[in-house]
Amino acid sequence: MPYRLIYIGLALLGVAAIVFGFVFYVEGDSIELPAPVEAVSPEPGSLVPAQAALEIDLEVGYVADIWVDGWPITDAQFVDATGVYRWSPSPSHPTITEWTPGEHTVRIVWNTYTGLPDTGSFEWSFRVG
């Protein structure tokens, strides 16, 4: 009889641990992006492989100037209908031919391309490893 009580107690303890795990589970810190910036990739503070591509998703109606490590990026692909910029280093780029290991900083400056101006900027860093 006492063994049954021990097993029941251990089972209840296990169920309580699982319930507490679900109740107090906290997903990673949320990233606060300025209003017209819907998403960026790589995310701020993330560690990415050398094959990673830079992607900036703005609200439709905005355009951006992009700088990586202080160098202007003029050959990013832009899809006007979605507001998404995509770029990755390539051998044909005049300054950044590949992601080097270490920290990289991206700065974007946006504005609307129709209507009243709505300018702003956002800067973040990520690591290549």
Side-chain angles (χ1 to χ4, degrees):
M1 183 74 167
Y3 289 108
R4 289 184 191 169
L5 293 177
I6 292 173
Y7 290 139
I8 291 172
L10 288 175
L12 290 174
L13 184 64
V15 168
I18 292 171
V19 168
F20 278 120
F22 280 115
V23 169
F24 294 110
Y25 173 75
V26 176
E27 197 171 320
D29 296 334
S30 63
I31 299 168
E32 295 293 327
L33 298 173
V37 180
E38 294 179 342
V40 294
S41 177
E43 292 182 346
S46 64
L47 177 65
V48 298
Q51 298 84 7
L54 179 65
E55 186 170 304
I56 301 163
D57 186 1
L58 298 173
E59 292 177 8
V60 175
Y62 285 85
V63 292
D65 294 323
I66 305 169
W67 287 271
V68 174
D69 296 334
W71 295 98
I73 303 301
T74 57
D75 59 344
Q77 297 174 344
F78 177 62
V79 180
D80 188 31
T82 61
V84 175
Y85 284 89
R86 286 190 182 91
W87 180 81
S88 58
S90 69
S92 64
H93 194 272
T95 54
I96 304 173
T97 58
E98 63 182 0
W99 290 121
T100 56
E103 188 169 285
H104 296 276
T105 302
V106 180
R107 177 175 168 77
I108 59 172
V109 177
W110 65 81
N111 198 358
T112 55
Y113 57 83
T114 60
L116 296 173
D118 182 16
T119 61
S121 66
F122 180 61
E123 185 172 303
W124 77 97
S125 296
F126 62 92
R127 293 177 305 144
V128 174

